[in-house]
Amino acid sequence: MRNHILCFGDSNTHGYCAETGGRFDESHRWTQLLQKKLGADYLILEEGLSGRTTCFSDPIHEGLSGLDYIYPCLMSHEPVDLLIIMLGTNDTKERFGSSAACIGLGLKRLILKAKATLDAWKDGVPNILVVVPQNIAPEYIQTEVGDTMGVGCDEKSRRLAAEYKEIAELTDCHYLDANCVLTAAPNQIDFMHLTGEGHAQLAEALSEKVREIL
């Protein structure tokens, strides 16, 4: 059986393309590029959902709390060799009223629930890589999504790296800050979603990280 790598994230894992308002195809999404780079011994499982949070229930859209879905998600794909979590961008929305520190605590809750789902893990051993999403650029507030995202999202996103690193160390998870491996800026439309170049760069960095872990 191949190594099962579960990619649990939001629209940047789903592959939202701001230029078209649709989804990047299989030749551009970082998940599919990661599959190509790792090869036949690995199976990349895409679990990206636009709007997903670590643990917050959205009052406008249903089913977006990662905490509520992580158990069935893991069990659906067992045995899981590695879980990659890249969440936090949506948690910065003003309507959640959450600081970067509280978003970190949301990630902690999600990690602990994932680790407790022992039947899903290969040999019963949890193995999680926390990825800090690319920071939201300040210009987002001037775009169409500015009003629904609310104020302060860019500042909170910049503070996630330090919070996530601390949580990753506390919960014995692997850690990667996408901002340290991406040179491509977010798109120039909503200033928060990856460009095609960003997807390619993230896939390259993750392929190296995954090989270190597995």
Side-chain angles (χ1 to χ4, degrees), residues 118-191:
L118 293 178
D119 289 343
W121 297 99
K122 184 176 181 180
D123 300 323
V125 180
N127 196 12
I128 300 174
L129 169 60
V130 171
V131 178
V132 181
Q134 186 172 38
N135 295 338
I136 300 171
E139 293 88 346
Y140 86 94
I141 197 64
Q142 302 168 5
T143 72
E144 290 184 1
V145 301
D147 287 341
T148 54
M149 290 292 292
V151 299
C153 299
D154 55 321
E155 181 182 357
K156 282 186 279 189
S157 72
R158 289 194 299 272
R159 295 182 177 180
L160 291 182
E163 299 292 341
Y164 279 20
K165 185 176 183 179
E166 182 177 343
I167 295 299
E169 292 173 352
L170 181 65
T171 56
D172 194 27
C173 292
H174 308 283
Y175 173 87
L176 178 69
D177 182 356
N179 298 285
C180 294
V181 298
L182 296 177
T183 59
N187 73 80
Q188 302 297 295
I189 298 173
D190 62 27
F191 295 91

Side-chain angles (χ1 to χ4, degrees), residues 71-106:
Y71 175 84
C73 184
L74 282 166
M75 292 301 296
S76 295
H77 296 297
E78 65 87 18
V80 176
D81 294 87
L82 177 66
L83 169 64
I84 299 177
I85 299 175
M86 188 170 73
L87 288 170
T89 300
N90 293 297
D91 301 58
T92 67
K93 291 174 180 175
E94 188 178 15
R95 62 178 175 266
F96 295 127
S98 185
S99 65
C102 288
I103 295 171
L105 292 178

